[in-house]
Every structure is written in C-alpha cells, then in structure tokens.
Amino acid sequence: ETGVTQTPRHLVMGMTNKKSLKCEQHLGHNAMYWYKQSAKKPLELMFVYNFKEQTENNSVPSRFSPECPNSSHLFLHLHTLQPEDSALYLCASSLQGRGGTDTQYFGPGTRLTVL
Amino acid sequence: GDSVTQMEGPVTLSEEAFLTINCTYTATGYPSLFWYVQYPGEGLQLLLKATKADDKGSNKGFEATYRKETTSFHLEKGSVQVSDSAVYFCALITFRGQAGTALIFGKGTTLSVSS
C-alpha cells in the first residue's frame, strides 16, 4: 500500500454509538492531521500530532478523541455524536510538521453519517 | 490571521476552454502556497505548490505563479478536459509556533467541464 489510507471509507452511526476512524501513512512522515469537511464550511483543522505528541486541538468538542500510538497511525474515536457531526473526515500527513515547505498528503477520507 | 480567498463557483466550461481560478491570500511573511484537487468521492490530492515569490508550480497542464506583489496564486490551464471536473482548493501553510504548521484552505471552487 502507498500513501495515506483511511478506514472505513463510509460509516453510519447512531448518536449513542462508539466508533473509531483509522488512518495509516506509509510515507515515513512524522506529523499527522485530522480535518473535517462539511458541506457548507471550508476544511477545518481538528488535531495535529508531531512525533506522536498532540500539538494542536482546534477547539474540537470532547466527543472527538484522537489517538496517535506511533508516527504511522492515527485514530479518531467517536462517541455520542450529533447529526451535525456528519461530514467527510480527512487524515493527512507531512514529513515534519514544521517548516515553510512542509507538504501535507491526504487520505481518501471517511464519510460519516450520524443518525 | 492568515486567510485564503477563492473565486466562487461553480465554474462551467466546455472541453478545451481556458481555465482560470483566482486565489488571493493574506498572511504574515511569505508562506508556501498550494493547490489541491478533490475528485468526486475522494480525498484531496496535491496538484501543485510554490514555496517562494515568483515560483511557478505546474502539474498535469495546470500552472500557478506565486505573486507577492498582488498576494495571489491563480490557477490556470490552457485546455481543460472533462476529467478535470473536480473541486479545487487553494491553501497556504501557516505557522502555529510550538504546534508546528497547518494548512489554511479557501472554500473551494467547483469546476464542471462538458464535452
């Protein structure tokens, strides 16, 4: 496998469910990101991890809980979501997370629908 | 704060027409600039980038020049194809101190090309 992969590609869940999104990068990068893409809003940065440490939480509600066990894997744990959380969740990675030329590469996204 | 403004879409063109999608930015310093493309049902793909003033990024017939004096990074293609139909995002990289870097995106411009 190459690049950035995300599973599942589609997820439907009820408001009381608990689920997790998974992201894996095969690029040898050290920084990983979660973004949210809603129909009516620009892409929103949610979380940033550099060398497994969370360096950014962009005022994300606590019902979203990220986890980065190593530089290649990133999870987003979901619980008690609301219908307005339905969106495309995109994972990205970059080499170092610092520096003006650091380029982010994106996965295909998980399309989440909350009923 | 840093921001990106793109022309509103949708842009509808016939095959082989000339394409311009305008992008201007506001930023402290001289950030790297990017164009990403999102095909239906997929994640974001890096299309091209420029890291300093007067740099020209190019890929797949698309070009964009980093214009410091007009703070612009307009995307152009001389002859579009039906397969270019997608959403195009202009973005800049911003520094967040210890948090590292993050991308700031424009709202996206939908391009529809008909044969």
Side-chain angles (χ1 to χ4, degrees):
Chain A
E1 290 195 72
T2 59
V4 182
T5 58
Q6 290 186 243
T7 55
R9 293 293 308 275
H10 300 273
L11 178 62
V12 179
M13 58 187 289
M15 289 191 286
T16 58
N17 292 156
K18 290 184 180 180
K19 296 286 184 183
S20 295
L21 310 185
K22 179 183 176 182
C23 175
E24 184 172 1
Q25 58 94 2
H26 309 271
L27 300 169
H29 289 169
N30 296 300
M32 297 188 78
Y33 310 79
W34 280 116
Y35 287 86
K36 176 182 178 182
Q37 186 179 30
S38 305
K40 307 280 185 188
K41 295 183 179 180
L43 275 150
E44 301 173 76
L45 178 67
M46 301 175 71
F47 300 104
V48 180
Y49 278 83
N50 280 293
F51 294 90
K52 301 188 296 180
E53 287 191 20
Q54 184 176 317
T55 55
E56 173 108 18
N57 177 338
N58 198 20
S59 303
V60 180
S62 59
R63 57 185 183 270
F64 294 91
S65 175
E67 178 190 1
C68 188
N70 55 61
S71 293
S72 298
H73 294 87
L74 183 65
F75 295 89
L76 187 62
H77 304 299
L78 315 171
H79 63 98
T80 59
L81 294 191
Q82 304 298 311
E84 59 265 29
D85 296 323
S86 299
L88 181 67
Y89 289 85
L90 291 163
C91 173
S93 71
S94 67
L95 182 60
Q96 57 184 2
R98 293 181 172 87
T101 61
D102 199 37
T103 300
Q104 293 184 24
Y105 295 89
F106 285 79
T110 295
R111 173 68 62 186
L112 173 67
T113 302
V114 181
L115 302 176
Chain B
D2 296 352
S3 65
V4 174
T5 303
Q6 282 181 245
M7 62 186 289
E8 296 285 332
V11 174
T12 303
L13 296 173
S14 298
E15 208 165 22
E16 299 184 3
F18 184 86
L19 169 71
T20 300
I21 300 178
N22 290 337
C23 172
T24 57
Y25 67 90
T26 302
T28 305
Y30 304 108
S32 293
L33 302 173
F34 305 83
W35 277 100
Y36 284 85
V37 58
Q38 186 175 34
Y39 297 102
E42 299 185 12
L44 273 67
Q45 297 179 23
L46 177 67
L47 182 59
L48 54 84
K49 69 178 184 180
T51 59
K52 61 183 186 296
D54 300 325
D55 263 4
K56 178 185 283 188
S58 61
N59 185 25
K60 300 180 181 179
F62 291 90
E63 293 183 340
T65 301
Y66 191 134
R67 301 284 187 202
K68 182 178 65 174
E69 60 278 9
T70 54
T71 61
S72 64
F73 193 54
H74 304 322
L75 182 68
E76 296 182 336
K77 186 175 185 181
S79 176
V80 294
Q81 305 300 311
V82 172
S83 57
D84 294 327
S85 298
V87 182
Y88 292 81
F89 293 92
C90 184
L92 63 81
I93 200 161
T94 187
F95 295 94
R96 295 173 179 251
Q98 290 294 321
T101 58
L103 284 172
I104 303 293
F105 286 91
K107 292 184 178 179
T109 301
T110 299
L111 171 65
S112 179
V113 180
S114 58
S115 58

